[in-house]
Amino acid sequence: MKNIAVIGAGTMGNGIAHTFAQSGFNVQLIDISEASLKRGMDTISRNLDRMVAKEKISEADKSETLGNIKTFTSTEEGVKNADLVVEAATENIDLKLKIFKQLDEVCGENTILSTNTSSISITQIAALTSRPEKVIGMHFMNPVPIMKLVEIIRGYSTSDEVTSTIMELSKTLGKVPTEVNDYPGFVANRILMPMINESIETLYNGVAGVEEIDTVMKLGMAHPMGPLQLADFIGLDVCLSILNVMYDGFKNPKYAPCPLLVNMVMAGKLGVKSGEGFYDYSESRKAEKVAKQFMK
């Protein structure tokens, strides 16, 4: 396995492309937008510059990594000769189903199709293809070049051979693959999102403020960042989408999104990427200032 196609040049897609390219794979990075591809490549270059500055890699390593990536706006062109496709588009079920239907039509019959979805059913995605045994989840963590975990999610029909291949491939990237079964939220988000949602409920009910909630979890539970800060980092729209998938999948009220989260997303307060969530990021991407709405 040498040729990897990555669908989507956003935060997760460019991180996945970076990681494969740095490990010596030929990467075809695909996005419908030339501007998104440019932003993605600029991000990869900046991240590599930081690694050079920290003496983790050399300038030659950086040049080799960038040389391993080619960009495409055509999916059909971009997936030619791909041994593996990693889909990292927006966390939207209709979009992902459309992408996989197209991938099944244009990819070689031996190509493995994977998705970086953080919550959507692998079985549902695979059922749209003629190769459900070759469809699998590869849930990378953000930031991809740094985080070690990859959740490997088996769909109902995913074969043992494909699962083993992707587990071993993940290890060659320096990752720690963990195999899980296909249920809403998998493991990471099935545990993480209810915690984030309950933190938002705690704020919504006036139990404590933003900083106080995050401080309790950081100092009391040894979390590297508080749950509200983490929600801002993930994107409140993404958190809402994942909670909705779990609520729809389990029909259990414990997964129902907090009304405050719903309102913030409708208002466009999405966290770091919009400049405001539970914290104000207008002057810094660090969670140093509580958003005006939540200041006491």
Side-chain angles (χ1 to χ4, degrees):
M1 189 171 285
K2 190 65 179 174
N3 300 314
I4 312 296
V6 179
I7 308 287
T11 300
M12 296 305 294
N14 70 60
I16 293 166
H18 171 163
T19 301
F20 273 105
Q22 193 174 331
S23 296
F25 291 87
N26 300 319
V27 177
Q28 296 98 256
L29 181 59
I30 305 163
D31 200 292
I32 58 173
S33 165
E34 284 280 8
S36 294
L37 287 168
K38 184 180 185 306
R39 284 195 298 271
M41 291 302 297
D42 287 346
T43 297
I44 293 170
S45 184
R46 287 196 303 272
N47 288 338
L48 288 167
D49 283 337
R50 279 193 279 269
M51 297 177 79
V52 171
K54 294 177 181 178
E55 299 184 344
K56 292 184 176 181
I57 62 171
S58 65
E59 281 287 354
D61 293 329
K62 174 191 171 183
S63 296
E64 184 178 346
T65 297
L66 291 173
N68 286 338
I69 306 174
K70 292 183 172 60
T71 60
F72 298 84
T73 53
S74 163
T75 298
E76 187 170 359
E77 288 295 315
V79 300
K80 278 185 179 177
N81 304 315
D83 301 304
L84 168 70
V85 179
V86 184
E87 173 273 317
T90 304
E91 191 75 351
N92 177 290
I93 181 62
D94 294 329
L95 176 61
K96 289 187 187 293
L97 293 178
K98 180 180 177 182
I99 289 171
F100 271 80
K101 191 172 188 303
Q102 181 185 17
L103 290 175
D104 188 47
E105 293 169 354
V106 300
C107 290
E109 62 180 16
N110 293 320
T111 303
I112 296 172
L113 306 180
S114 73
T115 173
N116 181 58
T117 181
S118 55
S119 61
I120 294 169
S121 169
I122 308 304
T123 302
Q124 183 179 4
I125 291 171
L128 264 189
T129 75
S130 62
R131 64 185 89 191
E133 75 285 353
K134 291 186 172 68
V135 178
I136 195 166
M138 292 184 78
H139 180 206
F140 290 85
M141 304 293 129
N142 185 28
V144 181
I146 295 171
M147 299 292 278
K148 290 289 187 182
L149 176 67
V150 184
E151 263 190 315
I152 306 298
I153 305 106
R154 294 185 66 142
Y156 188 85
S157 301
T158 307
S159 71
D160 292 341
E161 179 184 2
V162 165
T163 302
S164 176
T165 296
I166 297 303
M167 293 284 284
E168 291 305 313
L169 175 67
S170 300
K171 292 175 185 176
T172 69
L173 301 175
K175 303 300 185 187
V176 178
T178 303
E179 182 182 336
V180 306
N181 290 318
D182 184 23
Y183 292 96
F186 316 133
V187 171
N189 282 319
R190 184 169 178 170
I191 295 170
L192 174 63
M193 286 302 154
M195 182 191 75
I196 286 177
N197 197 44
E198 194 61 32
S199 302
I200 300 170
E201 286 277 3
T202 303
L203 176 66
Y204 179 59
N205 291 329
V207 178
V210 170
E211 284 184 304
E212 288 76 11
I213 292 167
D214 278 354
T215 297
V216 167
M217 296 305 291
K218 284 190 290 185
L219 300 186
M221 313 305 168
H223 290 195
M225 66 172 71
L228 299 176
Q229 180 187 357
L230 179 56
D232 277 354
F233 180 72
I234 293 169
L236 301 190
D237 54 338
V238 175
C239 293
L240 178 59
S241 174
I242 295 169
L243 283 163
N244 280 331
V245 166
M246 293 197 296
Y247 183 54
D248 290 342
F250 290 116
K251 302 294 189 292
N252 188 323
K254 75 177 181 179
Y255 298 114
C258 176
L260 175 58
L261 173 62
V262 175
N263 279 347
M264 289 179 72
V265 172
M266 286 195 296
K269 308 300 184 183
L270 309 181
V272 176
K273 62 185 170 186
S274 71
E276 184 181 331
F278 295 105
Y279 293 87
D280 183 338
Y281 302 95
S282 58
E283 297 176 3
S284 171
R285 287 176 63 86
K286 296 179 180 178
E288 297 174 329
K289 181 181 176 184
V290 173
K292 185 177 180 180
Q293 178 184 351
F294 302 114
M295 292 181 69
K296 294 178 179 179

